[in-house]
Amino acid sequence: MIISAAEVMPLLVRAVPSFAAAWDESENVDDGERLLYLDAGDFIRHLVRKYLANEVDEFPAAFAAIERLVVEGDDYVRNLGVIGFLEGLQMTTVTDAGIDPEAVFRPLVGPLSERWWERINRFWGGEHDVLQVEDP
């Protein structure tokens, strides 16, 4: 079954119930449509807060859900999984919190997410076409 954009946040909220209240209160909507890249940022910030509070019991389910987006998503959802979530886990939201994403989050990602994680690293290292190829 292919995961569509409308299924992304319900899937993540089921995986990480502690995120439900924050997601319900978010205003990441434009013309009735969820702004999923903003939701992804909120989700990453939630994971950062949970990590800093040493509340990581939902992490296996969170990273399994992200892997599902990358593996089972339609084109938009796969891109969201890679750029919105995986790259989000590597960015300043995480590093500004004093977290080393390579040490903390990378070991938690699934197999396909791991390959994309590496490609994101290569992209930021200068291989700007590495994200254009469909199959990592």
Side-chain angles (χ1 to χ4, degrees), residues 81-98:
V82 172
I83 303 304
F85 289 92
L86 295 177
E87 186 176 34
L89 286 164
Q90 297 176 340
M91 301 304 285
T92 58
T93 299
V94 174
T95 58
D96 282 354

Side-chain angles (χ1 to χ4, degrees), residues 70 73-75 78 112 116 119 130-136:
V70 175
D74 62 21
D75 289 342
R78 282 194 314 270
L112 187 56
W116 279 108
R119 289 175 76 168
V130 72
L131 297 179
Q132 303 305 313
V133 180
E134 180 63 25
D135 185 5

Side-chain angles (χ1 to χ4, degrees), residues 9-21 43 46-47 50 58-63 65:
M9 295 315 294
L11 172 74
L12 291 170
V13 168
R14 280 191 307 275
V16 183
S18 65
F19 183 65
F43 188 78
H46 180 76
L47 293 181
K50 298 300 271 183
E58 295 174 314
F59 277 26
F63 286 91

Side-chain angles (χ1 to χ4, degrees), residues 115-128 130:
R115 292 196 303 248
W116 279 108
W117 184 288
E118 178 58 30
R119 289 175 76 168
I120 294 166
N121 285 345
R122 289 172 40 209
F123 172 83
W124 288 111
E127 291 182 54
H128 293 151
V130 72

Side-chain angles (χ1 to χ4, degrees), residues 1-97:
M1 175 197 245
I2 295 175
I3 299 170
S4 69
E7 298 169 298
V8 169
M9 295 315 294
L11 172 74
L12 291 170
V13 168
R14 280 191 307 275
V16 183
S18 65
F19 183 65
W23 183 66
D24 287 341
E25 294 173 8
S26 78
E27 297 180 11
N28 298 336
V29 178
D30 185 35
D31 290 331
E33 297 289 322
R34 293 299 308 186
L35 302 173
L36 292 175
Y37 281 86
L38 296 179
D39 285 337
D42 290 345
F43 188 78
I44 299 305
R45 283 185 289 280
H46 180 76
L47 293 181
V48 166
R49 285 189 299 274
K50 298 300 271 183
Y51 177 79
L52 293 174
N54 198 29
E55 298 172 1
V56 296
D57 55 313
E58 295 174 314
F59 277 26
F63 286 91
I66 293 169
E67 177 76 356
R68 286 193 61 202
L69 300 180
V70 175
V71 172
E72 300 173 36
D74 62 21
D75 289 342
Y76 175 82
V77 171
R78 282 194 314 270
N79 190 59
L80 175 69
V82 172
I83 303 304
F85 289 92
L86 295 177
E87 186 176 34
L89 286 164
Q90 297 176 340
M91 301 304 285
T92 58
T93 299
V94 174
T95 58
D96 282 354

